[in-house]
Amino acid sequence: MHALKPLPIEILALIFQYLTPRDLYRTMTVSRLWFVEAEASLYRNIALRIQFQGNDSLLQALKIRKHLLRRLEWSSSSGREVSEADLLDILLDYRPSEENNGSTSSDILSSSTPAATNYAYILPSTSPPAAGYPLGPGRPALRHLSYVGGSRSWQFFDSVLYKLTTLTTLELCFSGNAYQPGDMYVFEMDKVLTVFPQLKHLGITGKMLEFAPTTARHDGGYNLILDVNEEEADRTTRHGVLEHHHLGSFRFNPIMMRRSAAELFLCFRRLTDLTKISIESKIFNFDNADKSRPWAIGRALKQFCPRLETINISSPVVFWLFDLAIVPPDKDHHLTALVPDVSLGAVPDAQTKKRLRRRLQDQEVDELLEGRSASPFFPQLRRLILEQGHSLSAQDLISLGVQARFLTHLEINYQPTFHAHVWEIYDRDAAASASATATTRQRSTWSDVLVEDRRLRKRRQIENRDVMLFLQVCSSLRHFALTKFCIPFEHLLVADDDIIKQRSLGVVDDQGEDEAGTTEPSRHDDKAAPFIQPWACEKTLESLIIGFDIATNRPEDHRLVWTHLGRFKKLRSLTFVRDLYLSSNSRSTLIPSLAFGVEGVLATEGGGKGMSVTLAEIRSLPSWWTEESPGEMVLWFARSFPKLRVLGLMRYREEVEGGKEGDFSDFLEDEDVKLCSIGHVFFEPQYSYS
Amino acid sequence: MTVILVSSDNQDFKVDKEVAERSILIKNMLEDVGESDSPIPLPNVTAAVLTKVIEYCEHHRNDPVQVPEETDDPRKRSNDIEEWDMKFMQVDHEIILAANYLDIKPLLDVGCKTVANIIKGKTPEEIRKAFNIVNDFTPEEEAQIKKENEWAEDR
């Protein structure tokens, strides 16, 4: 190999960040110059995992080089921990055995035995000194600490943790099981914000966790008073008023949002620079859902954290994005007019109730599309990611589309929760206030119940039509993902205007049948050719993850969808998903075949090349169609999309289970396919994006 | 609109402003001088290197602006270099230096990843040969370093 010119030291640091510890180990002995930067890079980021056999050697090396340490990932399990002595030495540069000439009150504390045999079940005699552990001059200026585990000595843990005042990132995950009082870690938010003034990222998760009530209290005005001790008073103003904190990102367990801990939201008052929150839990049940106060949460965050722009929810939690104005009970005439009075004696059938409910929903949708009756809690929202257990409502989604001017990234990675309590919650504070000043009337009929649900703005689960409405009005999206369920073809289409009107009046139901049971005018009537309403993000969308449920084999139906996809001018990545809930035998997705109009994706309105010059990646493209050979299909995509470099194909389950896998994928060995411009053609792992 | 860039060996390069502003350094300089037509001197970049840098910026002129990653995960990947970039980056460290000086982060990242990929999996002697480096350790020093840091060999 032709030898390269020597690299300057300032560039080495940038290069070494891409190397593993093993590669850094080898670069250390290349030369004296390389040694300096390789050693610094190796010891800058350390992961301490108790299962790792080389921990003894690492701990000894780290004690000498602790001044290089900037980032520590520390995982432990109850009963097997890094010894207290090692932790005090590495993190605080404190060695009590030296201080006391080798004798301490605890064998564990003075021990330097290898971590593999040293158990840190802390005895009462190992309590930290009253003044805390002193800091040695060689202690590291630690910037990042991640801790995962449980412990039986939270006192010791805190005595070390609260000395690491240079931290900018603190991630704590308390796992394990609580067997007795004191096993749970009590997290003191106020204290953390005070002790760590440089903190930018804070994560506090896990089930072995409690949030301490805030010790702050209002002074009757705008200020919070913290009952500080003398040491902490340095960090407050002269009058003990809490300072604003510059925390930018906060990840927390949803137990923080329980009603009993509502006062914790006072701590958000200090977080005026907060731009990102992540609510995370691995426990998937809606604990205390009926006691949730999502309106209070939203209002607190809106008031105290106006810069919030990223919200990640991967936990069952009732979380609202908009404040929906409750209709006072004496001002709901426009609602009662939509629903005929049905006496309590005449129990309506399910179809009728459904139709009546739909009328009220459609009226609400009209209001939301006009931007009325919904006020955003997060006007700066740019990114919203929703995982399992989310409670995104139709009202919030439609309002996002209309009002979220900055929203560029939306991922809905699961169906909304089916937990019934979640959809019965309403703003009780506003309802009580509205009722207090209004003359109420007795509500006892079925129609009254429907009107009351609408009046109180009870959330409803999103349906496909709500997703379509959102996409038709949200013009700022750059990334959209809708996984775990597919959009049926008929929900993509624009229905005849008369049908929409008739549906809103309850004359025609969702199946297109009127009260006489006759079918709606055919969608495929030549006089009313179906088309797909444009999406507002066609000029901005760069990445799309979506599934289309096209149950027919009519080529014109598929062509319609391909033509719709062709409207996207900047799309770089396109991923198809497969409905998790459909039968595996259902051929339920878009057919990428010339016989089914795939070339429609290249037809752009008004000329221009559209995504044919931008598309670089297609994932989970169905591949089991027999109209053309898979190899021909791959080559067509290579010719049509010159920038395409990644093509992931989705197998059909029966092909795999029927043992035909080998025969089916033989085309990947064709010379033309291997040498085509795409470069990376492969079969997706089974069940990807499902 | 075009701008004129002047290399360290006094060669002029007329470049579209949109392309030139892939360099944050140049972008900031242009904002400071406003509508002026004055050439922009780049005393740390030779003509040969500047030619390559401009070629890179032209190819990537429509790429979206890189958003800094939210995570501070130190484990960075080097296996995601685009095919064109791989062919372009024929491991000339002068391009890396120029990218660092001009503050063109994507080009700097590509260069660093490319060099990192050369280093990966190699023994110290192979690395020395690849980079024309003389071993200035004594055998005893080398052994001592290996012993003290042996934990890293298995990571």
Side-chain angles (χ1 to χ4, degrees):
Chain A
M1 174 188 292
H2 173 67
L4 298 161
K5 295 178 186 175
L7 283 163
I9 188 76
E10 61 267 24
I11 298 298
L12 285 179
L14 299 175
I15 294 168
F16 287 177
Q17 62 187 340
Y18 294 102
L19 298 182
T20 63
R22 181 185 300 173
D23 288 320
L24 287 170
Y25 169 74
R26 291 175 182 173
T27 59
M28 289 174 91
T29 52
V30 167
S31 72
R32 290 179 189 276
L33 181 67
W34 278 45
F35 168 79
V36 172
E37 191 48 54
E39 184 187 47
S41 294
L42 181 62
Y43 287 95
R44 185 173 296 128
N45 307 302
I46 293 292
L48 270 179
R49 298 189 186 96
I50 200 62
Q51 301 86 354
F52 175 53
Q53 293 301 318
N55 260 358
D56 301 346
S57 166
L58 169 57
L59 288 171
Q60 296 312 311
L62 203 48
K63 286 178 187 176
I64 304 171
R65 297 168 182 80
K66 62 175 85 84
H67 59 284
L68 298 172
L69 189 61
R70 294 293 175 270
R71 179 190 169 105
L72 178 63
E73 293 179 16
W74 169 20
S75 64
S76 73
S77 59
S78 179
R80 290 183 65 85
E81 301 243 12
V82 177
S83 74
E84 282 190 1
D86 287 339
L87 278 175
L88 290 172
D89 188 346
I90 293 167
L91 295 180
L92 305 185
D93 192 26
Y94 171 67
R95 289 169 291 282
S97 56
E98 290 177 4
E99 193 174 271
N100 297 305
N101 295 321
S103 62
T104 69
S105 60
S106 162
D107 289 338
I108 292 176
L109 198 57
S110 64
S111 171
S112 59
T113 55
T117 57
N118 200 347
Y119 292 81
Y121 190 95
I122 307 303
L123 303 174
S125 60
T126 61
S127 297
Y133 292 110
L135 299 174
R139 69 188 182 280
L142 202 64
R143 308 298 282 177
H144 177 121
L145 174 64
S146 296
Y147 173 80
V148 176
S151 175
R152 302 211 183 257
S153 173
W154 297 126
Q155 190 179 18
F156 171 76
F157 182 86
D158 281 352
S159 68
V160 174
L161 175 66
Y162 286 117
K163 291 291 186 182
L164 307 175
T165 56
T166 53
L167 287 178
T168 58
T169 297
L170 176 61
E171 296 268 355
L172 303 174
C173 177
F174 298 103
S175 56
N177 296 301
Y179 296 109
Q180 54 188 329
D183 284 352
M184 301 282 279
Y185 182 80
V186 180
F187 180 74
E188 298 176 72
M189 182 72 170
D190 283 331
K191 184 172 183 179
V192 163
L193 294 180
T194 302
V195 169
F196 300 106
Q198 302 179 57
L199 210 59
K200 287 286 184 288
H201 308 281
L202 173 63
I204 180 75
T205 56
K207 60 179 183 178
M208 291 258 291
L209 176 64
E210 290 176 347
F211 285 89
T214 179
T215 56
R217 55 187 166 81
H218 276 287
D219 64 350
Y222 289 105
N223 300 315
L224 282 170
I225 308 294
L226 178 67
D227 293 327
V228 298
N229 58 32
E230 285 187 13
E231 181 184 350
E232 291 167 337
D234 291 341
R235 296 191 180 87
T236 65
T237 66
R238 188 159 49 95
H239 299 291
V241 175
L242 284 173
E243 295 174 347
H244 288 291
H245 195 281
H246 297 297
L247 192 71
S249 166
F250 185 22
R251 189 157 68 97
F252 53 91
N253 187 303
I255 63 172
M256 191 173 161
M257 305 171 82
R258 283 183 187 157
R259 189 179 182 200
S260 59
E263 60 175 345
L264 278 171
F265 287 102
L266 288 175
C267 70
F268 279 103
R269 183 177 178 83
R270 301 179 67 180
L271 305 181
T272 52
D273 288 347
L274 201 64
T275 59
K276 178 181 176 182
I277 58 171
S278 301
I279 307 172
E280 186 177 303
S281 170
K282 289 190 172 28
I283 298 175
F284 291 103
N285 62 67
F286 271 91
D287 191 19
N288 293 324
D290 54 334
K291 294 194 173 104
S292 298
R293 296 165 59 83
W295 62 93
I297 296 165
R299 285 174 197 152
L301 290 173
K302 179 180 180 180
Q303 179 184 359
F304 300 142
C305 309
R307 297 185 185 184
L308 263 180
E309 54 182 51
T310 299
I311 298 175
N312 292 353
I313 300 180
S314 55
S315 160
V317 62
V318 185
F319 195 87
W320 290 353
L321 301 173
F322 283 82
D323 204 344
L324 302 183
I326 283 182
V327 180
D330 58 342
K331 290 187 168 44
D332 63 354
H333 306 105
H334 61 296
L335 302 178
T336 55
L338 290 175
V339 181
D341 195 4
V342 177
S343 69
L344 191 58
V347 178
D349 59 22
Q351 197 74 351
T352 302
K353 281 166 65 175
K354 182 179 173 184
R355 193 159 54 236
L356 296 177
R357 185 173 287 113
R358 182 62 95 194
R359 281 186 194 171
L360 291 166
Q361 288 172 359
D362 286 349
Q363 187 278 335
E364 185 178 38
V365 168
D366 286 342
E367 273 188 15
L368 295 174
L369 287 174
E370 293 170 8
R372 292 190 288 128
S373 75
S375 176
F377 286 138
F378 312 105
Q380 304 295 322
L381 190 63
R382 294 177 187 273
R383 295 169 58 93
L384 177 63
I385 300 173
L386 303 167
E387 303 287 351
Q388 191 168 349
H390 74 83
S391 58
L392 179 69
S393 68
Q395 293 96 326
D396 277 353
L397 180 61
I398 294 170
S399 299
L400 266 182
V402 175
Q403 299 194 41
R405 292 182 300 142
F406 305 110
L407 188 69
T408 58
H409 187 117
L410 175 60
E411 290 183 31
I412 305 175
N413 290 327
Y414 275 85
Q415 292 268 13
T417 180
F418 292 104
H419 195 287
H421 285 303
V422 171
W423 309 106
E424 291 296 325
I425 295 172
Y426 61 92
D427 185 344
R428 290 190 287 281
D429 296 337
S433 174
S435 297
T437 56
T439 304
T440 57
R441 58 183 174 83
Q442 190 173 2
R443 298 172 187 266
S444 58
T445 66
W446 286 107
S447 61
D448 281 339
V449 171
L450 296 180
V451 169
E452 193 70 351
D453 284 351
R454 166 65 182 90
R455 185 183 75 78
L456 294 173
R457 311 306 296 274
K458 286 186 182 178
R459 264 51 175 182
R460 61 177 176 85
Q461 294 182 30
I462 56 176
E463 300 172 13
N464 290 318
R465 68 173 199 152
D466 302 311
V467 175
M468 288 300 102
L469 270 175
F470 167 80
L471 290 169
Q472 288 160 14
V473 298
C474 186
S475 59
S476 52
L477 279 181
R478 289 169 56 188
H479 174 82
F480 179 71
L482 186 71
T483 58
K484 300 298 183 189
F485 55 101
C486 295
I487 305 292
F489 176 66
E490 56 270 23
H491 288 202
L492 287 172
L493 300 177
V494 174
D496 184 272
D497 280 350
D498 286 340
I499 297 296
I500 294 176
K501 288 177 190 169
Q502 289 168 18
R503 280 184 175 156
S504 67
L505 292 172
V507 174
V508 176
D509 66 15
D510 291 336
Q511 279 69 45
E513 293 183 354
D514 61 19
E515 289 173 341
T518 56
T519 312
E520 65 175 282
S522 167
R523 290 185 284 112
H524 305 300
D525 186 335
D526 289 338
K527 295 180 184 175
F531 70 96
I532 298 176
Q533 183 80 10
W535 292 0
C537 54
E538 288 169 2
K539 292 183 181 175
T540 57
L541 202 65
E542 297 175 19
S543 169
L544 175 63
I545 302 176
I546 200 164
F548 297 108
D549 174 10
I550 308 178
T552 77
N553 280 343
R554 291 163 55 97
E556 54 266 38
D557 290 349
H558 292 260
R559 179 176 292 112
L560 203 57
V561 179
W562 284 116
T563 305
H564 169 68
L565 288 175
R567 292 190 198 137
F568 296 103
K569 303 287 186 284
K570 289 189 175 180
L571 205 64
R572 293 174 180 272
S573 174
L574 174 61
T575 300
F576 296 98
V577 298
R578 179 173 170 187
D579 196 321
L580 182 64
Y581 300 104
L582 288 177
S583 162
S584 61
N585 292 325
S586 169
R587 303 183 81 178
S588 60
T589 192
L590 190 58
I591 301 177
S593 159
L594 290 168
F596 286 82
V598 68
E599 74 278 5
V601 76
L602 300 175
T604 56
E605 292 177 358
K609 298 182 180 177
M611 67 170 173
S612 63
V613 295
T614 59
L615 196 63
E617 178 185 67
I618 301 177
R619 298 293 300 273
S620 297
L621 185 72
S623 66
W624 55 84
W625 311 111
T626 57
E627 282 71 12
E628 296 97 5
S629 73
E632 288 174 17
M633 182 180 72
V634 169
L635 293 177
W636 182 86
F637 275 96
R639 288 192 301 271
S640 304
F641 299 94
K643 281 210 167 180
L644 190 63
R645 292 292 175 267
V646 176
L647 178 58
L649 304 171
M650 181 162 52
R651 282 192 181 89
Y652 189 49
R653 195 168 174 184
E654 282 187 357
E655 250 84 30
V656 174
E657 293 179 352
K660 299 177 190 176
E661 179 177 339
D663 294 337
F664 189 71
S665 59
D666 282 351
F667 74 92
L668 290 177
E669 299 305 315
D670 290 348
E671 281 302 306
D672 289 341
V673 172
K674 287 167 74 171
L675 296 176
C676 78
S677 59
I678 295 176
H680 189 39
V681 182
F682 61 98
F683 278 99
E684 301 275 5
Q686 204 172 354
Y687 303 122
S688 62
Y689 297 102
S690 66
Chain B
M1 181 184 167
T2 59
V3 297
I4 299 174
L5 307 177
V6 184
S7 66
S8 60
D9 38 0
N10 289 321
Q11 191 166 334
D12 289 357
F13 292 82
K14 194 177 274 190
V15 180
D16 281 349
K17 185 182 177 198
E18 183 187 42
V19 172
E21 287 187 339
R22 300 298 293 187
S23 159
I24 304 302
L25 176 78
I26 295 175
K27 185 171 189 269
N28 292 341
M29 290 167 93
L30 289 172
E31 285 174 0
D32 288 343
V33 301
E35 294 297 323
S36 169
D37 292 332
S38 304
I40 294 184
L42 301 174
N44 289 356
V45 188
T46 63
V49 174
L50 189 54
T51 302
K52 291 285 281 182
V53 170
I54 292 170
E55 181 188 349
Y56 176 90
C57 293
E58 284 275 8
H59 181 81
H60 290 280
R61 66 187 298 164
N62 293 323
D63 286 0
V65 174
Q66 269 193 355
V67 175
E69 291 179 359
E70 292 179 341
T71 175
D72 63 340
D73 189 340
R75 292 176 290 270
K76 297 199 173 188
R77 295 187 307 159
S78 64
N79 59 353
D80 57 350
I81 305 177
E82 286 182 24
E83 184 186 348
W84 187 93
D85 289 350
M86 220 179 280
K87 289 175 184 169
F88 168 84
M89 197 70 225
Q90 288 168 4
V91 198
D92 182 349
H93 85 270
E94 305 247 12
I95 294 183
I96 300 175
L97 287 175
N100 190 38
Y101 167 68
L102 293 169
D103 196 359
I104 308 175
K105 192 174 185 307
L107 179 56
L108 182 61
D109 288 346
V110 165
C112 291
K113 287 179 188 178
T114 304
V115 176
N117 287 339
I118 293 174
I119 295 172
K120 283 182 179 179
K122 285 188 168 59
T123 64
E125 186 52 43
E126 289 169 342
I127 295 172
R128 290 189 201 108
K129 192 174 175 187
F131 292 87
N132 195 27
I133 297 171
V134 173
N135 182 7
D136 50 3
F137 281 121
T138 65
E140 293 75 23
E141 287 171 333
E142 212 171 316
Q144 180 70 20
I145 292 171
K146 285 179 179 174
K147 182 168 182 266
E148 287 178 358
N149 301 284
E150 61 187 0
W151 64 268
E153 193 168 20
D154 296 326
R155 290 255 184 149

